[in-house]
Amino acid sequence: LPRAVHEKFGSAYTGDGLQQLPPEGSGRGRPKPSGYRRPERVLDPGFPLEPGDYVRVYPVPARYPEALGIDWDKRILRMDADFVVVDKPAGIPSHATKDNLRENTLEQLRLHFAGEAFSDALRLPHRLDIDTSGVLIAAKSGAACGRIAASLQAASGEKRYAARVQRDESREEPCSLHDGLRLEHFQLRQTHGPHRFVTSSDDADAKHCALVVEKVHRESSDEANVSVRLLTGRTHQIRGQLSAVGWPIVGDNLYGSSDYPPTGFVRSPGLCLRSLEVTFQLHEASHTIQVPDRDAFAFR
């Protein structure tokens, strides 16, 4: 890989032996052309290229400078022999994005714990959206990561969130919010723009979504703080399901707007969504980690 490219852009990708580029509009869930290989991140400036290699470079990467000034010692919720749990701030990714390797929670934790035997092995068994804050687990080994991830997807795992929602004024009769409200939808994933959440679907690829609104704390007739327990874990599930019943999350520029976004990546810097509590099982012991009660609705 030419050193000038590496020094200017920091990282690039290569799909060694790629026969042809993915067709226009191809994406998640769509078949890739014959010979396609998933691109791999390349950090070595001396990486050799061969004729026919496909190189993707991001000259203007997305930036998250807030990640560089965080005092992680103040955000650690629990340290264990197998994991560390932090209160992730809103506004930074959980892990590396396709165009930015450094400015994310996982990489900054690796740097924070540099010198510890586990630092390079840290990995995430789950993740939070960029603009969501709260409980995030980093496992200290691949084995621990796999076990925690499996527990979070099984009956032994639970996730609770806090959100501030507002009535969608474009809907004449939004769902009535009350303690114990159970919401069930099917998620239809979209390559571009927000995923769709519908009450029924014949699509074989539709994913079942379920959650319970455990508590409703009314701020006014049009706004409330809610505590939510996930029964399934889908991308953007809470955001999409609450929006689908007429109560989008405050600050959600993806699911809270009636205008269809032109691209699939839309930031919501004022998103009022927070991971409150995570429960999982590891080595036959149950672990529950939560943010302090005083910070439950501190969304930033």
Side-chain angles (χ1 to χ4, degrees), residues 15-249:
D16 187 29
L18 188 66
Q19 299 300 310
Q20 66 181 110
L21 300 183
E24 183 69 23
S26 68
R28 182 187 289 111
R30 300 193 182 187
K32 300 297 188 296
S34 175
Y36 175 79
R37 290 181 56 185
R38 183 181 178 86
E40 299 175 0
R41 189 186 302 271
V42 175
L43 299 177
D44 178 10
F47 185 86
L49 293 177
E50 300 292 338
D53 282 353
Y54 165 53
V55 178
R56 182 188 302 163
V57 178
Y58 297 91
V60 187
R63 297 296 309 276
Y64 308 95
E66 303 94 332
L68 304 179
I70 296 171
D71 184 347
W72 289 105
D73 284 330
K74 293 182 178 180
R75 287 191 166 268
I76 293 174
L77 299 174
R78 185 177 300 180
M79 279 283 288
D80 184 90
D82 293 294
F83 57 82
V84 55
V85 184
V86 298
D87 182 357
K88 183 188 94 66
I92 66 173
S94 295
H95 52 66
T97 60
K98 63 183 179 180
D99 55 352
N100 191 322
L101 176 66
R102 303 297 182 191
E103 296 169 343
N104 63 82
T105 304
L106 179 59
E107 183 64 18
Q108 293 304 307
L109 285 176
R110 287 171 174 164
L111 293 174
H112 179 76
F113 290 110
E116 299 285 352
F118 61 82
S119 61
D120 290 339
L122 284 172
R123 57 196 66 192
L124 303 180
H126 71 127
R127 61 186 180 183
L128 299 177
D129 290 344
I130 292 173
D131 295 308
T132 301
S133 65
V135 180
L136 184 69
I137 306 164
K140 294 183 178 181
S141 68
C145 184
R147 293 189 184 103
I148 294 171
S151 176
L152 290 173
Q153 295 171 13
S156 58
E158 285 190 351
K159 296 179 182 178
R160 286 180 167 82
Y161 287 76
R164 180 170 297 135
V165 297
Q166 58 188 356
R167 186 178 186 276
D168 184 350
E169 296 182 356
S170 68
R171 296 176 61 126
E172 293 184 4
E173 295 184 6
C175 173
S176 175
L177 282 182
H178 58 82
D179 293 356
L181 173 67
R182 183 185 175 104
L183 300 181
E184 298 202 45
H185 292 85
F186 289 92
Q187 182 194 70
L188 302 176
R189 296 181 69 86
Q190 308 294 304
T191 302
H192 300 289
H195 304 312
R196 293 176 58 208
F197 290 82
V198 296
T199 54
S200 62
S201 175
D202 295 328
D203 191 329
D205 293 327
K207 303 296 185 182
H208 176 246
C209 301
L211 61 78
V212 175
V213 178
E214 294 187 316
K215 291 289 183 180
V216 178
H217 310 275
R218 287 281 183 181
E219 298 294 314
S220 69
S221 60
D222 295 329
E223 191 167 304
N225 288 331
V226 297
S227 300
V228 173
R229 176 166 56 91
L230 285 178
L231 302 179
T232 58
R234 310 294 184 195
T235 301
H236 295 172
Q237 178 182 334
I238 297 175
R239 299 167 66 178
Q241 286 196 267
L242 289 175
S243 178
V245 297
W247 290 94
I249 296 175

Side-chain angles (χ1 to χ4, degrees), residues 264-299:
F265 182 71
V266 176
R267 288 290 308 278
S268 297
L271 184 69
C272 292
L273 180 62
R274 182 158 171 74
S275 171
L276 288 182
E277 179 182 292
V278 175
T279 297
F280 61 91
Q281 198 159 17
L282 184 65
H283 305 316
E284 300 183 352
S286 181
H287 302 269
T288 296
I289 298 98
Q290 59 188 21
V291 297
D293 288 342
R294 67 178 183 277
D295 297 331
F297 291 95
F299 297 106

